Structures are given as structure tokens and as C-alpha cells.
Amino acid sequence: MSVKIYEGKDLDVLIEKAKNELGDIEILYYEVEKAPGILPFFRKKKYRLFVTKKENTEENRVEHLEEEIKELKSLLVDLKENVTKLPSQQIVPSVPEHLEEKVVCAIPQIEEFTGDAVELINILIKKGVEPSIAVDIVRASCGLDIETEKLDLNTGTFKEALINAFKKKLKFTGEFTAEKGKQKIIAFVGPTGVGKTTNLFKIASKFVIDQDLNVGVISTDTFKVGGTQQARIYTSILNIPFFIATDQKKLKEIVENLSELDVILIDTVGRSHYDYFRLGEIKTILGGLNSSIDYVLLISCNYDTKEAMEIVNRYRSFFPISSLFFTKIDESSKPGILINAGIKSGIPLSYVSTGQRVPEDIKLLSPFVISDFLLGA
């Protein structure tokens, strides 16, 4: 990996300069220095930005968009001309709404399917699963129907088909666990308003009540109104210690003094995924710890897939995300985001929040749970 260093007085300018020179970049770290001066409050800042060119991945490779959209529109014309040739029970999925936003999405070819397979594809699309992903999922649970020479489900029920496919297509963390005497640190990161604090304490409850572990909570969020008070109430109920760390040095001191705890949960401040400077601040604060950290990224089910993937890709350019934790599924009619984000990112799925109650409203994600959400069970 080749690391390049940029120096200057404006961090945003440095980032844009790096993008112009290297293309798609990954921000590794940045430093802030204050130039010497008589008046400390008026000393100018100098930034040193460390970046590397991001390797192209299957999820992020979006090249030659104008030409691809023209080709895709041509395919749409051909598809419309041939719709009448499809059997009546087959449903051609609608064109993704974000096509005009220059996001290329392959049109699923459902002519190869028949019977229940076509119906299941349609159900998944209505639940917010992207058409191409819906086709891929259903294909994983199909066999050849001899009479029609097309693919149909080889399972007795839709649920069985989805469970079989999700076992092949998605990764799952299973329950968060820890061992006594082997301290684990978990940091909850994500945009403002996704429910990091509430869901952190749902996980804290699981560690304390279900696993009988010694747990502590540290918050680096001093911005949210009432956030600290809310955290103190939860920690009081669970009878676990709570601390506030405003900088890297303070956080390191607190963690070093909590060596007897089995689990430390860190609640970070919510930041927009478009705010590189603030994300860098979070990374700087957490970067002072000597211990390894599991980073859990929280995603609201109210996001569409495009925005969810923007969040995932920008956050993991700063942090090695270990799992996706979904929230507010009770406020969404499109649980397909669970599938879309899981398959597109390749990151394991952990939990989903089903409401505001602590600790009840949380489910461990699994092929069984996701199939229930999609089928309305």
C-alpha cells in the first residue's frame, strides 16, 4: 500500500487535491498542528493528511456512467417491445427510480423463471430488494422445471427458499460475546439520529443479564442534548460504570483504568458521512487505544439503498467495520435494505432494532429472522 502525505491550511482542500490526483482515496489519518504565534487563540492550524489510493472493488466500481446508461436505456426499449411475449403470470420489475441519478442497476432477466419463483421475485422487489439481487437470491433456491424447461423453486415454501439462499449469500455475526478476563472493546459509530445510544444499551443489557459479564460504557458524545443524562439513567439501571471522554488522552486513561472489565462499549458522536473532518476527529480520539476495537456501524432502515451504501463506504474508509447493525425497522415498510446492504457491502449482519424499548426491542439477524421480515410473518 502506497501512502501519500498532503500538507496545508485547509483540510477540505487537501482532500479534494488528493482526489484529483489519486481518484478514489482512503483517508488513513490526519494531524493538526498550530503555527507559532503570540496570541494562542489566533494561531493558524496546519493539517497533514495521510491517504492511499483505494483499490477498486466490485461494489465501488462505477465507471463510464454516461455510456452505460445509454446502453441500459436501449435495453429498456427492447424489453418493452418484448413484454407482451412473456407468459401472463410473469411480472417484469419496474425500472429502478434512481436510474436517472446515474446509478447503474442491471435489469433482472426473469424469463428464465416460472411459477412460484416469479412470484417470490415480485414479493422481494415490493419489499425493497433490488431487482437484480432479488433474482440472484431466488435463483439460489431453484431447480429446473422439466415441463417448462425454466427455473422454479425446489422448496416447499417461500420461507424455506429464502432461508437457503440467505445462508449462501449473506454473512452473520451471531450474538456478540465476550470472555471473562479477555477484555473486548466495541465502538458504535454512525450518522446522527440512527439510535446509537439506545441500541448500545440494548447490547449492554445482553452482556450484563444474559452473559453475566462486567461491562462499562464510555461516551465521546457531548453534543447531543440530553444524551449524557439518558446514558446515566441506563447505566444506573444496569448498575454499570459510565464515563465521558472528550479527547484521545482522556479516553486512553479511562480504558487503562478499566482493565478489570470484560466489555467496554464506546458511544461515539453522530456525524454526517459527508463530513470528513468530523469523521477524522472520531478516528483520532479512538486511535489512541492500544487495544483492538470492533466497530459496529448503525444504519437506519429508513434510508434507501443508495444512501445506505454511501454511509457504509464512507465510514469504512475511516474504520474497519466489523458488522452492520440496522435500526428503526418498525418505521419502514421496505426491509429489503437488510439484504441489499448485506450483499453489496459483504459486511456481516448483527442485529436489528424493532423499537425504542430497552432491552426488549432488538433481534439477532439470521436467515430465519430476515425471511420473516420479508414475508410479513
Side-chain angles (χ1 to χ4, degrees), residues 109-263:
Q109 300 298 319
I110 64 171
E111 295 93 335
E112 63 181 301
F113 299 96
T114 188
D116 289 341
V118 176
E119 184 177 350
L120 183 54
I121 289 172
N122 189 46
I123 290 173
L124 294 179
I125 293 173
K126 287 181 178 179
K127 289 293 185 176
V129 179
E130 290 193 351
S132 58
I133 293 177
V135 166
D136 194 38
I137 289 170
V138 172
R139 185 183 289 115
S141 292
C142 279
L144 184 65
D145 179 74
I146 298 177
E147 292 184 5
T148 62
E149 295 186 351
K150 294 185 177 183
L151 297 177
D152 200 358
L153 298 183
N154 55 16
T155 58
T157 65
F158 287 165
K159 185 171 183 178
E160 289 177 293
L162 291 181
I163 289 172
N164 290 342
F166 295 155
K167 287 179 179 179
K168 299 174 185 177
K169 300 292 184 180
L170 293 170
K171 300 176 184 178
F172 299 91
T173 63
E175 291 278 5
F176 288 170
T177 59
E179 298 180 40
K180 284 187 176 294
K182 294 184 179 180
Q183 188 176 85
K184 172 173 282 191
I185 301 177
I186 304 175
F188 284 62
V189 297
T192 304
V194 294
K196 289 188 296 297
T197 302
T198 301
N199 288 290
L200 178 148
F201 280 101
K202 292 176 185 177
I203 297 299
S205 300
K206 285 183 170 291
F207 280 125
V208 172
I209 298 171
D210 298 342
Q211 301 182 41
D212 192 27
L213 295 172
N214 296 318
V215 179
V217 174
I218 304 173
S219 175
T220 65
D221 186 358
T222 58
F223 293 89
K224 185 173 68 176
V225 177
T228 300
Q229 182 179 3
Q230 179 189 24
R232 291 190 186 281
I233 292 173
Y234 286 137
T235 52
S236 177
I237 293 172
L238 292 172
N239 194 28
I240 59 177
F242 172 71
F243 302 88
I244 297 176
T246 55
D247 55 46
Q248 183 187 92
K249 181 179 179 182
K250 183 65 174 177
L251 178 62
K252 185 177 180 180
E253 289 177 355
I254 293 172
V255 171
E256 288 176 350
N257 291 329
L258 297 177
S259 58
E260 77 283 359
L261 295 182
D262 303 312
V263 181

Side-chain angles (χ1 to χ4, degrees), residues 357-373:
R357 294 179 300 170
V358 178
E360 303 99 315
D361 292 340
I362 188 173
K363 286 182 179 290
L364 177 68
L365 285 173
S366 69
F368 303 90
V369 170
I370 295 180
S371 63
D372 283 344
F373 280 124

Side-chain angles (χ1 to χ4, degrees), residues 72-87 92-93 95 107 109 111:
L72 186 55
K73 288 181 177 179
S74 177
L75 288 174
L76 285 174
V77 173
D78 294 339
L79 182 63
K80 289 178 180 178
E81 292 175 353
N82 292 308
V83 166
T84 56
K85 299 179 182 179
L86 294 173
V92 179
V95 180
I107 300 174
Q109 300 298 319
E111 295 93 335

Side-chain angles (χ1 to χ4, degrees), residues 268-281:
T268 63
V269 61
R271 292 302 188 196
S272 167
H273 47 292
Y274 296 106
D275 192 338
Y276 284 105
F277 181 81
R278 299 304 179 188
L279 290 177
E281 283 185 339

